[in-house]
Amino acid sequence: MLLIPCPWCGPREEHEFRYGGEAVPAPAADNDDRELARRLFVRSAPAGPMRERWYHVHGCRRWFPLVRDTTTHELTAPPEARP
Amino acid sequence: MSRVEHAWANPEHLWRNPEPKSSYDVVVVGGGLHGLATAFYLARNHGLTNIAVVERGWLGNGNAVRNTTVVRSNYLRDESMALYEHALRLWPGLSAELDHEVLFDPRGVLNLAHGRHDALTLKRQLAANQAAGIDAEWLEPADLASFCPILNLSPEIRYPVVGAALQRRGGIARHDAVVFAFARAADRLGVDLLQGCEVTGFDIVDNRVRGVVTTRGRIGAGRVGLVGAGRSKLLAAMAGFDLPIQPSPLQALVSEVLDQVLDTVVMSGAVHVYISQAHKGELVMGAGRDPYTSYAQRGSFHILEWQLQAVLELFPILSRAHLLRTWGGIVDVAPDASPIIGATPIGDLFVNCGWGTGGFKATPGSGWVFADTLATGAPHPLVVPFSLDRFETGALIDEHGSAAVAH
């Protein structure tokens, strides 16, 4: 169980949240097939710190960014996540 | 003795531990089940014996021995049914073929329906299976009472069981024996199994791969096959291309050794259970996938808790069983829950990944078709639809509904 630092509610248990994954540019009308495939299906998934979004669905219902290390699950809140 | 030899000293005599040669006709990256099967069929079906399997850890590590050993072929799409059925047909003859017992046991795989919509979905899949010549039957609750007596068929439970699809030819096998069998058979045919040999880079000239850089030196290669499972994305990034793969933890758990109480495999997509009993007596259960990207080979505790809640409602007889172990592996799930097999943007570099939560069942078939792809340089007919470019053409093979694990 991850203890997730919600910037508005403080640390709460993981099952109060929904995972949003990495934020990528939205598909655009003038994207060719390759670019469209990249935006729809490809995420970076680095082995190490990764910037991702979480949604506090059973709390304040707000989205916020987190940096999580994908090899240790260590969480750090980026400065812009603070209210 | 090296660290690797110490780590798995018992079956060391099953294969040589050779020093890497300077080059091979084919280098298979990844010594898991699919990598070992690929090497075996390269030698057995194509007469290629100048082959190496490079493995960063040791044989019998990673997902090869972290899966829940379920074998079946009852998928929904024509392309998937062809691929998984080809694999299923190889299982009954595998022990004889490899001269090593793998304990394949076609004890049937049940998929439970917990309501009208669940039943309609499973019956649609069942009809697709029957139309493709894959065995599938529908069991009503009365049939289930005799087929799986310990299953709770009470209408009073939160999600009552209203029926089930059964594939009798499905079942289980002993996964570590499958590792040993393929490794030993490949070794006997001259394949070099190089353990403790991690790929750290690729030698690519004019957009063609010419070798792999490893912790045991550079190894030249005519062709390279990436069979990296949960680490496929990292390997691809090293070679300079992207894979639409999401690596995340999937957990499994076993009970203490119990008397035999369950002689089939029971799966339920709706309440998320899959459970079977090993020949030795442990109950083997699979939990859900953790949602987040990870390489940490462990997941969150509440995922196990949810799994056990569902298990106990369906099998109240197990309420006093003790858990012995839980663990996590990293699964490589593609956006359509189907594998990615075939060419990459780099010449002579091929990929076989994306088996996600259900690769064990496909082991012999995956090795067979990928060996053919590597030997000929062109995709085996069964894997043509599973090419990487399907994400650009839009010809996805959506199997989220047939995967046992909710994605």
Side-chain angles (χ1 to χ4, degrees), chain B residues 26-100:
Chain B
V26 179
V27 170
V28 176
V29 179
L33 287 163
H34 292 220
L36 291 171
T38 299
F40 170 74
Y41 287 115
L42 275 167
R44 147 80 162 70
N45 291 354
H46 303 279
L48 294 170
T49 53
N50 187 28
I51 292 168
V53 176
V54 298
E55 163 57 44
R56 66 193 282 268
W58 59 91
L59 304 184
N61 177 28
N63 292 359
V65 292
R66 287 166 191 251
N67 58 76
T68 49
T69 81
V70 176
V71 176
R72 61 186 176 91
S73 67
N74 51 359
Y75 280 69
L76 177 64
R77 312 285 171 194
D78 290 343
E79 301 89 339
S80 319
M81 286 190 283
L83 186 67
Y84 288 102
E85 177 65 11
H86 170 257
L88 180 59
R89 285 175 190 270
L90 292 169
W91 276 101
L94 210 53
S95 295
E97 170 74 68
L98 301 174
D99 188 27
H100 193 107

Side-chain angles (χ1 to χ4, degrees), chain B residues 114 250-251 266-275 286-289 303-304 306-311 314 357 403-407:
Chain B
H114 297 270
L250 180 66
Q251 299 179 85
V266 181
M267 312 198 321
S268 166
V271 301
H272 210 291
V273 164
Y274 45 109
I275 180 168
R289 191 173 74 122
I303 304 278
L304 300 175
W306 290 344
Q307 150 76 7
L308 288 172
Q309 285 166 1
V311 165
L314 288 176
T357 58
V405 180
H407 294 137

Side-chain angles (χ1 to χ4, degrees), chain B residues 254-278:
Chain B
V254 293
S255 75
E256 61 194 324
V257 171
L258 302 167
D259 285 344
Q260 293 291 334
V261 290
L262 183 63
D263 63 357
T264 188
V265 181
V266 181
M267 312 198 321
S268 166
V271 301
H272 210 291
V273 164
Y274 45 109
I275 180 168
S276 66
Q277 190 168 16

Side-chain angles (χ1 to χ4, degrees), chain A residues 1-2 14-15 19 21 33-34 36-38 40-48 50 52 54 68 70-73, chain B residues 231 233-234 242-247 249 290-296 298-302 306 335 391-393 396:
Chain A
M1 176 81 76
L2 302 177
E14 177 191 342
H15 56 193
Y19 183 60
D33 287 352
R34 174 156 301 181
L36 201 55
R38 201 179 66 75
L40 284 172
F41 300 126
V42 178
R43 301 293 180 269
S44 63
M50 173 179 168
E52 60 194 16
W54 289 81
R68 190 178 48 90
T70 61
T71 62
T72 62
H73 297 171
Chain B
R231 300 182 73 84
K233 202 162 163 73
L234 301 175
D242 258 330
L243 284 173
I245 290 286
Q246 156 91 358
D290 285 80
Y292 44 78
T293 303
S294 173
Y295 295 97
R298 64 172 180 274
S300 291
F301 182 75
H302 65 281
W306 290 344
F391 299 97
E392 289 178 25
T393 63
L396 302 183

Side-chain angles (χ1 to χ4, degrees), chain A:
Chain A
M1 176 81 76
L2 302 177
L3 193 61
I4 294 180
C6 173
W8 287 277
C9 310
R12 296 292 184 93
E13 291 186 345
E14 177 191 342
H15 56 193
E16 292 185 15
F17 296 83
R18 187 167 298 157
Y19 183 60
E22 185 182 33
V24 293
D30 59 350
N31 290 152
D32 62 16
D33 287 352
R34 174 156 301 181
E35 180 60 17
L36 201 55
R38 201 179 66 75
R39 292 189 179 195
L40 284 172
F41 300 126
V42 178
R43 301 293 180 269
S44 63
M50 173 179 168
R51 194 189 148 88
E52 60 194 16
R53 295 171 310 144
W54 289 81
Y55 176 47
H56 198 178
V57 58
H58 298 301
C60 60
R61 299 191 188 171
R62 288 202 245 193
W63 286 94
F64 60 94
L66 267 185
V67 174
R68 190 178 48 90
D69 190 309
T70 61
T71 62
T72 62
H73 297 171
E74 186 188 353
L75 298 163
T76 44
E80 67 274 24
R82 300 198 176 98

